[in-house]
Amino acid sequence: MIMEGCFKSLVIIFILVIFSDSKRLRVRHKHRNRSTPPAPTLDLPPVLYSEQGRNITYLLGETVLLKCTVLGYKQGVHTVSWTRTTDRNLNPTALTFGSKVFIASSRISVYTEPLDTWVLKVQRVEAMDQGIYDCHLNYDKPVKMSLYLTVRVPKFTVLDGFGRNLNDQFYQEGSSLEICCQLDILPSFWNVTSLDELIIWSRKETNTSLINKPSEGISIHAESEGHGYVSRLAITQASVSDSGAYICSVPGYVNTTLTLSVFQDKVPAAMAASDSNDLWTNSLLSQS
């Protein structure tokens, strides 16, 4: 009887344990099925951004990279394009749309950096490339970001033998003269094979280059000066035939023109009324 009572007690305890576990499982299952509302999301509009700032400067001949980053870009929803406005053409010119280039120039291309940045590439930038470049994001509400590109063009300065700035030289026949052409900066990426041949002198009328020939009265000497370069053209026993327009240039990049006038005798009356008379007087004094 005692054994039978113990057995019944064990059965009752076992049933209570199973019932209790079953109830807990139902409660857990109930909580698991309870729907949890999704966390609210902010549908913010995309924003255009440039790590370079809005005003960008490159040197003549350099490769330009203009970057436009789309914060919040969605592939298949947003498209990016570039346009350009210059002083020569006030109407925006379409350059690219997506990965396609619309302008007939081998110097311009576009590519994307990982995820969300569009890069407009302009090779061998020219002075005429200066202007406003707009990055457009095309979607329901179009967005535009403007970047201003400045092209820094190295400057030529024409000097006389006394180191004064001018573009016109006046000398008496038979005198010796010197003209200097000074370049303020020489970019390291310019394709210059020899510094001795960096600045070229030529006669504009005949389109012929001048060569260093001291035996014939023509001497050309070049040297570095600070960040730039200077070339000196010296003519011994100048004659009237030496009069005319001269060009000093870095071929393919920059050039400037000056006028050289050699007279047989005294200064013309028209020149005497101008500031150039001082140059004429100094030139004569240098011979005495």
Side-chain angles (χ1 to χ4, degrees), residues 58-63 124-125 152 186-192 253:
Y58 278 85
L59 281 168
L60 180 73
E62 204 169 1
T63 295
R124 303 181 306 279
V125 67
R152 163 84 158 83
L186 176 59
S188 59
F189 54 85
W190 278 12
N191 186 24
V192 178
Y253 293 102

Side-chain angles (χ1 to χ4, degrees), residues 41-95:
T41 58
L42 298 177
D43 189 15
L44 298 176
V47 177
L48 299 184
Y49 164 76
S50 174
E51 63 181 19
Q52 301 165 294
R54 298 299 181 91
N55 295 294
I56 304 167
T57 300
Y58 278 85
L59 281 168
L60 180 73
E62 204 169 1
T63 295
V64 173
L65 298 177
L66 300 179
K67 297 186 178 183
C68 178
T69 299
V70 183
L71 303 178
Y73 173 75
K74 295 180 181 178
Q75 189 172 6
V77 176
H78 301 145
T79 55
V80 176
S81 59
W82 286 94
T83 61
R84 176 176 65 189
T85 305
T86 65
D87 292 337
R88 294 185 178 185
N89 186 1
L90 298 179
N91 295 318
T93 300
L95 301 178

Side-chain angles (χ1 to χ4, degrees), residues 12-188:
I12 293 172
I13 292 171
F14 180 75
I15 292 172
L16 289 174
V17 169
I18 292 176
F19 178 81
S20 177
D21 288 344
S22 176
K23 186 175 182 181
R24 282 198 211 100
L25 288 174
R26 285 198 300 273
V27 171
R28 288 178 187 174
H29 184 71
K30 181 179 181 181
H31 284 295
R32 190 180 297 117
N33 290 338
R34 184 180 297 168
S35 59
T36 302
T41 58
L42 298 177
D43 189 15
L44 298 176
V47 177
L48 299 184
Y49 164 76
S50 174
E51 63 181 19
Q52 301 165 294
R54 298 299 181 91
N55 295 294
I56 304 167
T57 300
Y58 278 85
L59 281 168
L60 180 73
E62 204 169 1
T63 295
V64 173
L65 298 177
L66 300 179
K67 297 186 178 183
C68 178
T69 299
V70 183
L71 303 178
Y73 173 75
K74 295 180 181 178
Q75 189 172 6
V77 176
H78 301 145
T79 55
V80 176
S81 59
W82 286 94
T83 61
R84 176 176 65 189
T85 305
T86 65
D87 292 337
R88 294 185 178 185
N89 186 1
L90 298 179
N91 295 318
T93 300
L95 301 178
T96 68
F97 186 87
S99 60
K100 296 181 179 179
V101 178
F102 287 102
I103 189 169
S105 174
S106 60
R107 297 187 302 112
I108 295 179
S109 59
V110 66
Y111 64 91
T112 58
E113 291 185 344
L115 299 179
D116 56 5
T117 299
W118 273 256
V119 183
L120 181 69
K121 183 177 181 179
V122 183
Q123 294 178 300
R124 303 181 306 279
V125 67
E126 301 174 359
M128 67 179 185
D129 293 321
Q130 179 169 296
I132 300 173
Y133 288 75
D134 290 321
C135 173
H136 302 263
L137 178 66
N138 305 298
Y139 81 120
D140 293 342
K141 298 178 181 179
V143 182
K144 181 179 74 173
M145 177 180 66
S146 298
L147 305 179
Y148 189 83
L149 173 65
T150 299
V151 179
R152 163 84 158 83
V153 180
K155 181 182 177 182
F156 264 133
T157 302
V158 179
L159 309 171
D160 65 3
F162 300 97
R164 295 170 300 195
N165 297 355
L166 76 162
N167 287 324
D168 299 298
Q169 289 270 48
F170 304 97
Y171 289 94
Q172 186 179 20
E173 188 176 35
S175 64
S176 295
L177 59 91
E178 183 181 74
I179 310 168
C180 302
C181 204
Q182 185 181 56
L183 185 67
D184 67 341
I185 184 172
L186 176 59
S188 59

Side-chain angles (χ1 to χ4, degrees), residues 211-223:
I211 302 175
N212 184 37
K213 290 184 177 181
S215 60
E216 298 181 10
I218 297 179
S219 176
I220 299 176
H221 174 68
E223 61 186 0

Side-chain angles (χ1 to χ4, degrees), residues 193-208:
T193 56
S194 170
L195 291 179
D196 293 334
E197 300 176 359
L198 171 65
I199 298 177
I200 304 299
W201 290 90
S202 60
R203 295 289 300 268
K204 187 174 182 179
E205 293 88 349
T206 59
N207 196 28
T208 55

